[in-house]
Amino acid sequence: MTALPALGNDDDDETNFIIPDHGYTVDYYRSYGEPVMQVSITGDPEFSRGETADLKVKIANRGVIDGFQRLNVNQKRINDSMEETIALEEMKEEKECTTAKDIEATLQSETKYVEIESTTSVQSVEELETGHTSTLSYTIKIDGDTPAGDYELLLPVTYEYQANVRTVTADVINLGLTDVDYTREYKTKTEILRIPVSIKSEPKFEVTDVSGSLVQGESKVIEVTYKNTRESVAKDSLARIIVMSPLSTEKSIVRLGDVGPGEEKTARFEILADQEAIVKNYGINSEIKYVDEEGETSFSENMKVNVPLEATEKKFSTTGIAIVLIILIALYQIGNAHRKRNQNNENASGDENE
């Protein structure tokens, strides 16, 4: 509880720091009421996985005064009529009991899937009268693997409010104070408000299998299996690969149709590798385009399709084969001529011997 002087002068005089105690004040009225803080989200409370969002929070003061109690207090040195006027003036000051001052609101997350940006986690409001609102802005990050469903963020709100007003008596002049009419007692209060948010149910795809391999200078079929690992249907799904040189394809999009939760679909892509392509594993980018449950067109995250490229088999070219045949024919002719010459020589020798 803090007691502060009210309606003092603004001079830098040490008397401003003197707070009259109860011996110099009287309490005519006691009010019953205090601030009541409420909170709500401005805009859509539903977010997507992997989203970084600006969360607008409206904080409202709905405090009400339940009544006043007239205390049995009288000052002897003033007449009843004047005293009643003074008492009613104090009651007017008591009406500020529902005003929240020096508000500090700190957004917190109880789940690992929702992160509060530290630079925006603490917001403050100087004063909020009953019936008024103020908008606070926080930055939240939704994890890409967050399960769909409802979550709660916590918003502890700490503030001060006027708990009581006391009227200063004429005796306060003995303290050297002349411009102080009331002292005010403040209390500090903390309320924990809850903010409901939800994570949108939507498909999520991953590559579960890749079969086939590429060969230098040839066109080969690669089969890619996609799985919907989330809880909602991906309608009219299209699988697409993005290939770059030294790879190419004439048909980069394959229709998968509807893919339900936990369901797998396989797409067949025909990919041509250049003759001079380097032998290694190639990472091909792939994505799924689909229609979500709200009828909106959406895209999956990028997925890598890893495909090995093999060297082409060594084969003789047509020219090489022709050269080999010419050489073989020439060798055959040479050998045949040599045999004929030997045979002729043998026949000639036989004639001489006869």
Side-chain angles (χ1 to χ4, degrees):
M1 180 178 295
T2 305
L4 299 174
L7 304 181
N9 58 47
D10 295 329
D11 296 333
D12 293 331
D13 191 281
E14 64 178 3
T15 57
N16 284 331
F17 300 97
I18 300 175
I19 302 175
D21 60 25
H22 284 193
Y24 295 92
T25 61
V26 293
D27 197 3
Y28 290 111
Y29 276 93
R30 181 62 54 88
S31 61
Y32 294 94
E34 59 187 50
V36 176
M37 311 305 288
Q38 295 179 354
V39 68
S40 61
I41 291 179
T42 299
D44 191 353
E46 185 177 57
F47 301 95
S48 299
R49 299 181 181 96
E51 180 180 3
T52 297
D54 186 16
L55 183 68
K56 298 292 186 182
V57 175
K58 180 180 290 185
I59 186 169
N61 184 355
R62 304 301 184 194
V64 295
I65 298 176
D66 296 323
F68 298 93
Q69 179 185 2
R70 177 66 161 91
L71 304 178
N72 188 21
V73 175
N74 295 100
Q75 297 189 56
K76 297 179 181 180
R77 288 184 294 179
I78 57 178
N79 60 52
D80 292 345
S81 176
M82 180 177 292
E83 185 166 37
E84 188 59 30
T85 299
I86 295 173
L88 291 175
E89 290 299 318
E90 181 187 307
M91 186 179 72
K92 291 180 182 179
E93 298 296 325
E94 290 279 0
K95 293 180 179 179
E96 293 186 18
C97 63
T98 56
T99 298
K101 298 177 180 291
D102 298 328
I103 302 169
E104 186 174 279
T106 306
L107 189 63
Q108 299 176 355
S109 173
E110 291 188 307
T111 173
K112 64 179 181 180
Y113 296 113
V114 182
E115 177 186 350
I116 313 300
E117 179 63 45
S118 60
T119 57
T120 67
S121 62
V122 181
Q123 300 291 318
S124 60
V125 180
E126 184 176 348
E127 182 176 286
L128 194 62
E129 297 179 358
T130 186
H132 290 240
T133 64
S134 181
T135 300
L136 310 177
S137 182
Y138 301 92
T139 301
I140 63 173
K141 297 179 180 180
I142 312 299
D143 189 87
D145 293 324
T146 305
D150 298 327
Y151 295 83
E152 266 190 345
L153 302 178
L154 301 183
L155 187 68
V157 179
T158 300
Y159 56 88
E160 290 185 345
Y161 69 96
Q162 180 179 279
N164 190 32
V165 176
R166 298 179 64 90
T167 300
V168 173
T169 68
D171 294 334
V172 76
I173 196 172
N174 295 329
L175 298 177
L177 302 177
T178 58
D179 295 325
V180 178
D181 296 326
Y182 308 100
T183 61
R184 303 176 191 271
E185 298 172 359
Y186 288 86
K187 287 184 177 180
T188 300
K189 183 177 180 180
T190 298
E191 297 182 50
I192 298 180
L193 308 178
R194 298 181 180 274
I195 303 174
V197 297
S198 62
I199 306 304
K200 183 179 179 181
S201 174
E202 56 190 356
K204 183 177 181 180
F205 287 93
E206 63 180 36
V207 173
T208 58
D209 187 52
V210 179
S211 62
S213 59
L214 304 176
V215 177
Q216 290 173 322
E218 298 184 28
S219 183
K220 292 291 184 179
V221 173
I222 302 299
E223 293 187 343
V224 182
T225 301
Y226 301 92
K227 182 178 182 180
N228 179 4
T229 62
R230 291 302 188 187
E231 51 287 283
S232 59
V233 178
K235 300 178 182 178
D236 299 328
S237 300
L238 299 173
R240 181 168 80 110
I241 58 171
I242 304 170
V243 295
M244 301 176 65
S245 180
L247 308 179
S248 62
T249 181
E250 293 184 357
K251 185 179 181 182
S252 62
I253 298 176
V254 175
R255 180 173 295 277
L256 299 178
D258 294 349
V259 185
E263 187 177 2
E264 292 183 333
K265 291 286 184 74
T266 299
R268 302 176 79 249
F269 299 99
E270 187 171 351
I271 301 174
L272 173 65
D274 291 348
Q275 180 66 51
E276 303 302 323
I278 299 174
V279 175
K280 66 173 186 176
N281 287 331
Y282 285 83
I284 300 174
N285 291 323
S286 178
E287 65 180 3
I288 304 290
K289 178 183 177 182
Y290 63 92
V291 177
D292 62 22
E293 292 181 337
E294 297 178 357
E296 300 291 334
T297 299
S298 300
F299 292 86
S300 71
E301 296 178 354
N302 181 65
M303 295 168 282
K304 284 291 184 182
V305 177
N306 295 309
V307 182
L309 187 144
E310 302 173 354
T312 185
E313 296 181 8
K314 299 298 183 181
K315 299 179 180 179
F316 288 110
S317 65
T318 302
T319 302
I321 294 174
I323 294 174
V324 171
L325 288 176
I326 291 171
I327 294 174
L328 291 176
I329 292 172
L331 292 175
Y332 173 77
Q333 290 176 342
I334 293 172
N336 189 42
H338 183 70
R339 284 194 300 271
K340 287 182 178 180
R341 186 167 54 249
N342 289 338
Q343 186 177 3
N344 290 335
N345 291 335
E346 289 175 359
N347 290 336
S349 298
D351 292 341
E352 291 177 357
N353 291 331
E354 290 179 358

